Amino acid sequence: MKAKAFDIQIFKRILAYTKPYQSRYYAVVAFAIALSGFAALRPYLLKQTVDAYIAPKDQHGLLLYITAMGVVLLLEVLSQFYFVFWANWLGQDIIKDIRIKLFKHMLSFRMQYYDNAPVGQLVTRAVSDIEAIARIFSQGLFMIISDLLKMIVVLLFMFYMNWKLTWIVILAMPILVFVTRVFQKKMQLAFEEVRTQIAAMNTFVQERVTGMKIVQLFNREAIEADKFREINAKHKKAWIKTILYNSIFFPIADIISSFTLGFVVLYGGYHILSGDTMTTFGDLFSYTMFISMLFNPLRQIADKFNEMQMGMIAANRVFEILDTNSHIQDTGTLEAPTFKGAIAFKEVRFGYLENEEVIKGISLTVQPGQTIAIVGSTGAGKSTIINLLNRFYEINGGTISIDGTDIKDYSLASIRKQIAVVLQEVFLFADTILANITLNNPNITEADVVAAAQKIGVHDFIMSLPGGYHYNVKERGVMLSSGQRQLIAFLRAYVSNPSILILDEATSSVDTYSEELIQRATETITAGRTSIVIAHRLATVVNADKIVVMDKGLIVEEGTHQELLNKPEGYYKNLYESQFLVEQRDQA
């Protein structure tokens, strides 16, 4: 969606965020008015000083007016200080509120939104785009108001002092206004391109830094460097365009201002020499200041309008995310109790893409306290079941219930509080082990974590690290092995005391020692609670109460390990025997 030159609806929406700060908002406007009055009063006092006291050589009056000019200058400086400081302060408070609202909104998006939204683009919206909104207040709106007020007051003083000289200035202004308008339109398009290129660059860098291991493993450094060079060149080209327009506009504006001043001095000087008492030397002195005070804001107003326009474009992009309705409908009114753990899928259908079903009408029951294993080839739909149970996605048909109640009748927060998941790819934050386990939950103490770690057998491993539970694992847990990260994930799930536990490929990529610890942890944390284990390695699920075999979005077999092995030409039997032969060959 392309932003208009000035979208009044977006502007009104931005101004709505000033409501909590109305007193400061009006104070900034008041200081802008005071600033315009004091700024215009100084040249007028200079005229009076030249005409009434310097020309007649009145020393006493000269001292009085110089003192008055000093007082006015001091008041102008104070007004300028409070105006700039409070305008920036207001802008920072507003973007603080918008950023918090945006982040909370993004936290509630369904996973499908993040499947399609580039991470770098979202980072740009939440950081640099919101900073651009602040400039609407610090460099745009209030500065424009101040400049316009100053120009109006200056013109009033000029007409009062000498209307003939003022008309020379008035006749030159449309030329500068026209040039300014042309410049503003060009800059608007240029700044839109700049924002687009910044978002593209952020997305590219975010993805490459995240996937640096793949880049280096497949020797793609030179290729990615070339791609970045292309993106960077487009970014530079966009900025060069803005620089070019500035380089053309400001010299033209200076020429117009200088010619106007020249005509004023020529016209005024001619009338003084011809004996016209309507024009004085004081007029010429003051008009050199007045023209600068009138034309400088006029030529800079385009630049300030562009700052405002950049903020409007950024606000438009931020509001697009705020207006995005990509939430799981949290209409449930029931607070989920401590679940007994009875789970039922009835004719459940789901697809990540329209008309492409991943789950094709499956029905499945899990009894309270039962451990079931879901197995099958990649893409069979195993992990999708977890996503649906946690309501990361909305099902297309059928029902999912826990303890006989449709999960849509529970509030999202309460149902997810009762379900813990250990994923194959464990995500750890750049924080301590303790913080990654508790996720800063104030109800879980360090003592609780230590006791849980001792119970599932991972305390010794944690204490072997420098700092123990306060060891910082750095971004994504790079300081730990994949097995160690899995152990942290198991402990994180255990201390949350869930009613239902889900293990998704939790032992697929760990070493033998870590697997032994994880096996012990698994036995401990699954005891007495409903557990769903998803695994490729069938050796890890032989003791499950029930094994569910999936293929192409359907359940093709159910039963215990032994029951499934007794089925001649069964899917599970063939899968198990092929894996067993591979393991035997690897051991040999």
Side-chain angles (χ1 to χ4, degrees):
M1 177 179 169
K2 185 179 177 180
K4 301 176 186 176
F6 186 84
D7 193 320
I8 190 64
Q9 296 304 320
I10 292 178
F11 185 65
K12 286 181 178 178
R13 192 167 176 182
I14 295 168
L15 284 184
Y17 286 93
T18 65
K19 287 183 179 178
Y21 314 103
Q22 285 291 295
S23 58
R24 201 184 315 154
Y25 176 82
Y26 289 122
V28 172
V29 174
F31 281 119
I33 295 171
L35 183 60
S36 64
F38 292 133
L41 190 56
R42 280 191 299 112
Y44 177 75
L45 290 176
L46 177 62
K47 167 191 164 55
Q48 294 299 103
T49 303
V50 171
D51 290 341
Y53 301 103
I54 293 179
K57 300 180 180 180
D58 183 347
Q59 294 183 0
H60 177 72
L62 177 62
L63 181 61
L64 181 64
Y65 261 73
I66 292 297
T67 303
M69 289 177 65
V71 172
V72 170
L73 179 61
L74 178 62
L75 292 173
E76 183 184 353
V77 169
L78 289 174
S79 298
Q80 179 80 17
F81 168 77
Y82 283 110
F83 170 72
V84 173
F85 180 75
W86 283 18
N88 280 271
W89 183 12
L90 178 64
Q92 290 302 315
D93 273 331
I94 288 169
I95 65 167
K96 176 202 68 177
D97 294 343
I98 296 176
R99 186 177 281 126
I100 290 171
K101 184 176 181 180
L102 177 66
F103 189 69
K104 288 178 69 175
H105 192 68
M106 289 165 60
L107 285 174
S108 62
F109 282 157
R110 66 179 75 181
M111 289 298 107
Q112 197 162 12
Y113 179 86
Y114 294 104
D115 292 342
N116 301 312
V119 174
Q121 188 178 87
L122 294 177
V123 171
T124 300
R125 299 293 177 267
V127 182
S128 57
D129 277 347
I130 287 186
E131 286 296 334
I133 295 174
R135 292 201 292 272
I136 291 177
F137 298 93
S138 62
Q139 302 295 328
L141 174 64
F142 291 123
M143 291 297 178
I144 292 172
I145 291 173
S146 176
D147 286 344
L148 290 174
L149 285 171
K150 190 182 295 184
M151 290 165 63
I152 292 169
V153 174
V154 164
L155 281 172
L156 290 174
F157 270 88
M158 290 170 70
F159 269 113
Y160 173 74
M161 289 165 51
N162 193 315
W163 64 270
K164 291 181 180 179
L165 294 181
T166 303
W167 273 111
I168 296 175
V169 179
I170 293 292
L171 291 173
M173 288 179 66
I175 302 173
L176 187 57
V177 169
F178 173 76
V179 172
T180 300
R181 180 60 178 161
V182 171
F183 164 77
Q184 184 272 320
K185 286 182 177 179
K186 295 291 185 181
M187 287 298 288
Q188 176 200 340
L189 297 174
F191 277 131
E192 278 194 65
E193 179 63 19
V194 167
R195 300 308 305 168
T196 300
Q197 295 305 326
I198 288 174
M201 183 177 291
N202 283 346
T203 300
F204 183 89
V205 172
Q206 173 86 22
E207 289 180 348
R208 270 56 185 185
V209 170
T210 303
M212 189 58 69
K213 184 179 290 185
I214 298 299
V215 171
Q216 294 184 358
L217 278 172
F218 288 89
N219 195 31
R220 288 186 58 85
E221 292 94 334
I223 296 172
E224 298 300 336
D226 287 340
K227 285 185 178 180
F228 183 75
R229 193 174 292 110
E230 292 177 13
I231 294 172
N232 203 25
K234 290 179 181 178
H235 177 259
K236 184 192 76 171
K237 185 178 179 181
W239 269 114
I240 289 295
K241 193 179 291 186
T242 67
I243 295 168
L244 175 63
Y245 292 146
N246 276 303
S247 302
I248 295 172
F249 171 74
F250 286 107
I252 292 175
D254 283 337
I255 290 171
I256 296 171
S257 178
S258 298
F259 269 105
T260 304
L261 179 58
F263 278 117
V264 167
V265 172
L266 180 64
Y267 181 84
Y270 174 79
H271 277 267
I272 291 172
L273 293 176
S274 64
D276 183 0
T277 57
M278 290 291 293
T279 304
T280 66
F281 282 108
D283 289 336
L284 297 184
F285 272 102
S286 61
Y287 267 67
T288 58
M289 295 180 65
F290 275 137
I291 290 173
S292 176
M293 293 172 64
L294 193 63
F295 277 35
N296 280 346
L298 191 59
R299 72 174 190 174
Q300 291 173 5
I301 206 166
D303 192 40
K304 291 167 184 174
F305 191 88
N306 283 318
E307 288 286 352
M308 193 168 173
Q309 180 63 25
M310 282 188 71
M312 297 277 281
I313 293 169
N316 185 53
R317 296 181 179 190
V318 170
F319 289 151
E320 281 182 359
I321 296 179
L322 286 173
D323 294 338
T324 299
N325 184 19
S326 184
H327 304 90
I328 295 295
Q329 294 300 313
D330 191 8
T331 56
T333 56
L334 299 177
E335 288 297 312
T338 300
F339 289 138
K340 294 178 182 177
I343 302 171
F345 283 66
K346 294 182 181 178
E347 294 297 325
V348 173
R349 293 183 175 275
F350 171 75
Y352 294 101
L353 301 175
E354 193 174 353
N355 300 322
E356 291 186 24
E357 283 191 341
V358 177
I359 300 296
K360 303 173 181 178
I362 67 169
S363 295
L364 171 68
T365 58
V366 184
Q367 300 302 321
Q370 193 175 43
T371 295
I372 73 161
I374 303 177
V375 301
S377 59
T378 301
K382 307 183 298 298
S383 296
T384 301
I385 289 178
I386 296 173
N387 292 331
L388 299 180
L389 186 61
N390 279 282
R391 292 200 68 200
F392 289 142
Y393 300 85
E394 294 282 20
I395 60 177
N396 298 337
T399 59
I400 302 174
S401 62
I402 299 178
D403 292 347
T405 301
D406 193 317
I407 60 174
K408 292 182 179 179
D409 295 334
Y410 294 117
S411 69
L412 273 177
S414 66
I415 192 173
R416 289 175 181 171
K417 187 177 180 180
Q418 296 294 322
I419 302 174
V421 182
V422 179
L423 298 171
Q424 177 183 2
E425 293 294 330
V426 178
F427 187 93
L428 298 181
F429 297 95
D431 208 332
T432 63
I433 287 179
L434 180 64
N436 272 287
I437 293 169
T438 65
L439 297 178
N440 298 312
N441 185 341
N443 297 320
I444 303 175
T445 66
E446 184 172 350
D448 294 333
V449 174
V450 172
Q454 290 172 334
K455 191 168 184 179
I456 67 173
V458 300
H459 175 71
D460 292 341
F461 139 66
I462 294 174
M463 292 306 296
S464 69
L465 299 171
Y469 290 87
H470 298 278
Y471 177 65
N472 193 309
V473 300
K474 305 300 181 185
E475 187 173 359
R476 295 178 177 267
V478 295
M479 303 304 290
L480 302 177
S481 69
S482 59
Q484 290 171 329
R485 290 196 293 271
Q486 285 287 359
L487 290 170
I488 298 301
F490 268 82
L491 188 51
R492 176 196 287 169
Y494 187 53
V495 298
S496 67
N497 193 28
S499 301
I500 298 170
L501 177 69
I502 300 172
L503 306 180
D504 186 4
E505 310 284 2
T507 61
S508 63
S509 58
V510 298
D511 55 84
T512 304
Y513 174 71
S514 295
E515 184 174 356
E516 291 174 358
L517 289 176
I518 288 173
Q519 191 62 41
R520 175 183 168 183
T522 301
E523 292 171 359
T524 303
I525 66 178
T526 57
R529 58 168 57 89
T530 302
S531 303
I532 300 175
V533 180
I534 295 175
H536 276 303
R537 297 174 62 186
L538 304 186
T540 62
V541 300
V542 294
N543 296 321
D545 297 314
K546 180 168 69 173
I547 298 172
V548 177
V549 185
M550 293 190 68
D551 183 44
K552 298 178 181 177
L554 295 169
I555 295 176
V556 293
E557 291 178 348
E558 288 186 58
T560 64
H561 172 68
Q562 197 57 50
E563 288 171 349
L564 294 175
L565 286 182
N566 291 337
K567 287 186 177 183
E569 300 302 319
Y571 189 100
Y572 179 82
K573 181 180 181 181
N574 292 334
L575 193 64
Y576 183 80
E577 287 177 349
S578 63
Q579 280 195 15
F580 181 75
L581 289 174
V582 169
E583 289 176 2
Q584 289 289 94
R585 185 173 65 247
D586 290 343
Q587 289 175 2

